[in-house]
Amino acid sequence: MIFKVYYQETIKQVPVREKTKAIYVEGESERDVRTKLADRPYNIEFVTALEGPFLAYEKQNEDFKVLEIG
């Protein structure tokens, strides 16, 4: 399953909408995705699963690249 992760680049950075970034990560669950990203200095705001029309819409974005973290 593919998840969209909204994050700030550093743990100390306060969440501000204009500075929020998003990445796409393949994983089995939200917990799995958070575990895969634990070694990165991200301040994760929100993780959401993408399915059906939501996934199709995101795939239209030119920046759509799925991170496959082992």
Side-chain angles (χ1 to χ4, degrees), residues 4-61:
K4 186 172 185 179
V5 180
Y6 297 92
Y7 70 98
Q8 304 295 316
E9 289 189 316
T10 65
I11 292 174
K12 295 180 180 182
Q13 191 172 13
V14 176
V16 177
R17 181 176 41 175
E18 291 79 18
K19 295 182 181 181
T20 298
K21 299 190 179 204
I23 55 173
Y24 304 92
V25 180
E26 189 170 333
E28 296 177 17
S29 65
E30 179 181 339
R31 176 179 240 161
D32 181 42
V33 170
R34 287 181 179 271
T35 301
K36 289 179 177 182
L37 295 173
D39 64 337
R40 298 175 189 227
Y42 296 157
N43 180 8
I44 297 174
E45 291 181 44
F46 187 68
V47 179
T48 185
L50 296 176
E51 299 178 302
F54 299 106
L55 179 58
Y57 175 79
E58 293 291 343
K59 284 183 177 180
Q60 293 175 6
N61 185 348

